[in-house]
Amino acid sequence: MTVTSIKPETERSSSKKRLGLLLIKPSHYDDDGYVIQWWRSFVVNNALAVMGSVISDAADRQAVGPDIDIERRLIDEVTEVVRPDRLIDWLAEFDYAAVLLVAVQTSQFPRALDITRPFAAAGYPVIIGGVHVSGALAMVPNWEPAFAGASEAGASLFAGEFEPHVDELLNDIVAGSVKPFYDRLASPADLGVSPRQRAEHGLAAQTVERHYGLETGRGCPFVCSFCTIINFHGRKMRHRHAEAIEAYLRDCHAHGGRHILVTDDNFARSPVWREVTATLERLQRELNVEWDVAIQVDALAYRIDGFVDACKAAGVKRVFIGIESVRPDNLKAAAKGQNKLHLMHDMAMTWRRAGVLIYGAMIVGLANDTPERVAEDVRILQEEIPVDILSAFLLTPHPGSADHKHAVAAGVVMDDDLNRYDTVHPVVDHPIMSRDEWEALYWDTWKRFYTKSYMKTVIARALRYGVKLDIIRSTFVCAYTASCYERVHPLDSGGLRFRDRMSRRPNLPRPAAIPHAIRQFATNTVMLTRIASLLLYAYGLELYLRVERARGRLDLHTRIRTTPEVEETPTLAQAPVAAAE
């Protein structure tokens, strides 16, 4: 496994002492208790990369004094097995040392505690931070399950953004006075003066397509009830300087990077989107590179003057849009007032004409959902809006969201096992369905969307509107296999799954080595065969559809109306702008 480590830019004197920092981004457990891990991930973990940049800056500034050098090591557990005994040996080389578990989400908190125990038992301070700790403290500080087991495991907790407080924490580590809890929510980072993001080439190498993350800013102006970001990063948009972003992109390109994932929660509302897209466009010409940029925006972003054209020129090839539902009652319940259903078709077609692949997020299990309604919603997403790639999420009241705060206040019974808060398991009761029915509906939603018939439709649309076919093929097949065969969310997936028996959840038995290895080999062989067959089928469809295009028959396969007749359908015609507000 690749490990990233650095030393300060200045030469280290033998007389200096050393501070070693082990930064780990935990994964979480699957239904069988194995850590979800892959040979290569599909999505880079940019939060870990940003944290690494902050530590690198602290090392360069000699944040704990001129007589102490800072060294760091980054581990993304999605692609690297955590072996505490070996890592404890690494920490033992330093005069001072600590473990930072970073960007921990709610479903990863139990795994973070399991990682904590052996390091804490060996005498090393372990600090857990991220959206779970920060969101829970901001919204439901007295909800007992949020931090259950942390003190017993020996973990300290850090709430808030790290940049303004890195010196404080590092000096506490050196002084041996790490606090049990750091509440720093009231002091968010000023990204204009915060450490610049540095390219983490080791982390990029652990992704299938050498992806680099890019954080141009933080915050989102909207108030979606299920969202935790607005209660962590806030609703005020903050941004980095364009010059620092350009330097970062040049470094990525110099090391073979052209796949860029912009991690802003809503890039369209960034005050510097014009500067960033102009920089990307200019660098394409100067560096002779074709970027493959992915962004996340709201459904109304396409109406911002010049935005879609700027994104196209900048090399944006993928856009993720939170559609969530095609029902006015559901959107109102989710406080998703910015989604105007009568504009959805125009939105999708605007992005499609720009040659951009459209990911549509859908929430399954909103209060008024039934199996029949959800099945119809999938059809609308395929034929009437329409989107290319579905990203379905089971409605989950995450600590840090308004939904969770209201549920706690109302005394709603919720699961105590935070590992299940991964948007693929029900953790509360649904007003209409049982939990088993709800979970079955969730996985059925993926199967309804990802069919071979719809694969043909998506490839036909790509040929019709100029979307990159290699992107369509790989994305559709990977989402298909992850959701329908592996039963994990595609955002949690990667290439070639492995199940480390030594890291299995402590309350479950550890299987014998040889039978476990045989099962893994058999499972991966079957999965690779399925992926290969689907890719071959996709290539065959492309060949057939190219022939159809030559015959002037391609539009018969796109299933897209040439005018937005979607407004006249019973589902969407009854959804005026006010209905979603």
Side-chain angles (χ1 to χ4, degrees):
M1 288 293 176
T2 302
V3 178
T4 306
S5 60
I6 64 112
K7 296 181 180 180
E9 292 177 0
T10 57
E11 286 294 324
R12 182 169 61 84
S13 168
S14 59
S15 63
K16 287 188 175 184
K17 292 189 176 182
R18 302 165 64 207
L19 167 61
L21 299 171
L22 177 61
L23 280 67
I24 302 175
K25 165 64 175 176
S27 181
H28 67 286
Y29 298 108
D30 65 14
D31 289 344
D32 296 320
Y34 294 105
V35 176
I36 297 177
Q37 295 176 307
W38 309 85
W39 169 68
R40 291 287 184 270
S41 64
F42 289 139
V43 179
V44 67
N45 191 280
N46 197 51
L48 176 59
V50 170
M51 284 289 293
S53 298
V54 175
I55 299 300
S56 296
D57 176 79
D60 292 344
R61 292 187 294 103
Q62 299 181 325
V64 289
D67 298 326
I68 301 177
D69 283 337
I70 301 173
E71 301 180 29
R72 37 139 258 201
R73 181 171 178 173
L74 308 184
I75 296 178
D76 182 358
E77 199 185 20
V78 170
T79 54
E80 182 169 351
V81 175
V82 172
R83 292 278 186 253
D85 53 343
R86 300 175 189 174
L87 294 171
I88 287 171
D89 289 342
W90 182 78
L91 293 171
E93 299 174 4
F94 297 91
D95 301 285
Y96 316 98
V99 179
L100 307 182
L101 297 171
V102 306
V104 177
Q105 300 171 6
T106 299
S107 64
Q108 298 162 349
F109 194 72
R111 176 59 185 160
L113 294 183
D114 290 339
I115 293 173
T116 295
R117 291 183 179 94
F119 291 105
Y124 294 103
V126 181
I127 301 96
I128 300 177
V131 67
H132 171 70
V133 174
S134 300
L137 183 66
M139 301 291 281
V140 286
N142 297 319
W143 188 57
E144 187 175 339
F147 309 128
S151 178
E152 294 79 1
S156 296
L157 302 177
F158 188 99
E161 296 183 349
F162 189 52
E163 288 90 341
H165 314 289
V166 57
D167 290 12
E168 175 193 8
L169 181 60
L170 298 189
N171 278 283
D172 283 355
I173 293 170
V174 170
S177 58
V178 172
K179 302 173 182 66
F181 208 116
Y182 292 80
D183 179 2
R184 301 297 181 265
L185 289 169
S187 304
D190 179 351
L191 296 183
V193 299
S194 292
R196 65 179 178 85
Q197 184 175 356
R198 308 185 188 196
E200 295 290 348
H201 307 299
L203 294 179
Q206 294 175 22
T207 62
V208 172
E209 294 183 304
R210 198 171 182 85
H211 268 91
Y212 286 86
L214 169 62
E215 181 190 64
T216 74
R218 296 176 189 169
C220 180
F222 298 113
V223 292
C224 306
S225 66
F226 52 83
C227 181
T228 61
I229 295 298
I230 55 176
N231 300 310
F232 177 23
H233 289 317
R235 294 180 59 202
K236 180 181 179 181
M237 303 299 293
R238 295 167 288 147
H239 64 87
R240 299 183 184 275
H241 289 308
E243 296 80 5
I245 293 171
E246 177 173 345
Y248 174 81
L249 290 169
R250 287 183 178 277
D251 191 11
C252 293
H253 173 263
H255 289 80
R258 71 177 192 88
H259 299 276
I260 307 295
L261 172 63
V262 178
T263 58
D264 300 35
D265 197 57
N266 193 335
F267 178 65
R269 307 302 165 176
S270 170
V272 293
W273 69 260
R274 290 177 178 84
E275 291 89 339
V276 173
T277 53
T279 297
L280 284 162
E281 180 185 4
R282 174 169 51 80
L283 289 179
Q284 281 196 128
R285 296 192 304 269
E286 289 183 13
L287 303 176
N288 192 29
V289 59
E290 182 180 7
W291 299 119
D292 177 357
V293 179
I295 60 173
Q296 177 171 302
V297 301
D298 60 88
L300 292 177
Y302 82 101
R303 304 189 79 184
I304 299 174
D305 186 36
F307 181 69
V308 174
D309 288 340
C311 288
K312 178 181 180 180
V316 171
K317 302 293 192 299
R318 316 164 196 242
V319 61
F320 185 97
I321 300 170
I323 295 171
E324 321 307 1
S325 179
V326 296
R327 307 281 178 168
D329 52 359
N330 278 340
L331 290 174
K332 183 176 181 180
K336 196 78 176 181
Q338 67 270 26
N339 282 18
K340 315 301 183 185
L341 294 177
H342 69 292
L343 299 176
M344 286 292 182
H345 180 84
D346 186 43
M347 175 272 295
M349 292 308 298
T350 300
W351 285 109
R352 179 164 284 108
R353 292 186 188 103
V356 177
L357 175 72
I358 305 167
Y359 293 75
M362 174 184 180
I363 296 177
V364 178
L366 290 161
N368 300 296
D369 279 347
T370 65
E372 295 75 21
R373 277 174 52 126
V374 171
E376 175 64 8
D377 293 350
V378 171
R379 185 197 65 78
I380 291 170
L381 286 170
Q382 289 178 324
E383 299 180 7
E384 297 184 12
I385 288 180
V387 302
D388 302 308
I389 302 296
L390 175 71
S391 190
F393 300 90
L394 194 147
L395 181 64
T396 304
H398 284 106
S401 68
D403 284 348
H404 185 266
K405 182 177 182 178
H406 296 155
V408 171
V412 173
V413 177
M414 291 180 276
D415 277 5
D416 289 341
D417 183 4
L418 300 184
N419 189 73
R420 291 176 58 83
Y421 286 67
D422 56 0
T423 73
V424 303
H425 293 95
V427 297
V428 295
D429 292 334
H430 191 273
I432 298 173
M433 298 173 280
S434 70
R435 292 197 187 190
D436 287 344
E437 290 171 335
W438 187 5
E439 186 170 349
L441 173 63
Y442 173 75
W443 293 114
D444 182 66
T445 300
W446 291 100
K447 292 177 181 178
R448 284 183 177 274
F449 188 92
Y450 288 101
T451 64
K452 291 181 178 179
S453 172
Y454 195 58
M455 184 192 293
K456 182 175 78 170
T457 300
V458 169
I459 292 174
R461 292 171 185 167
L463 286 168
R464 171 70 172 78
Y465 292 99
V467 178
K468 291 286 186 179
L469 284 166
D470 58 335
I471 295 176
I472 283 284
R473 278 192 305 269
S474 61
T475 305
F476 196 98
V477 168
C478 290
Y480 192 146
T481 55
S483 59
C484 298
Y485 296 141
E486 288 278 7
R487 285 175 70 90
V488 298
H489 196 285
L491 291 178
D492 281 335
S493 66
L496 197 61
R497 174 79 194 273
F498 59 90
R499 297 163 176 82
D500 179 55
R501 68 187 188 92
M502 304 296 288
S503 303
R504 197 177 191 190
R505 203 166 189 183
N507 62 332
L508 294 172
R510 185 178 297 168
I514 294 177
H516 180 69
I518 293 172
R519 283 192 298 270
Q520 278 216 96
F521 177 80
T523 300
N524 283 333
T525 299
V526 171
M527 196 59 58
L528 289 172
T529 301
R530 286 171 168 169
I531 293 172
S533 64
L534 283 172
L535 285 173
L536 286 172
Y537 185 76
Y539 278 108
L541 287 174
E542 179 187 339
L543 179 61
Y544 166 73
L545 291 168
R546 286 186 182 278
V547 173
E548 288 289 272
R549 182 174 64 177
R551 294 174 175 174
R553 294 163 49 90
L554 183 62
D555 285 347
L556 297 176
H557 303 282
T558 62
R559 293 160 65 184
I560 292 181
R561 300 183 179 96
T562 55
T563 57
E565 296 173 13
V566 66
E567 296 178 28
E568 302 174 5
T569 65
T571 302
L572 299 183
Q574 299 170 12
V577 172
E581 297 179 332

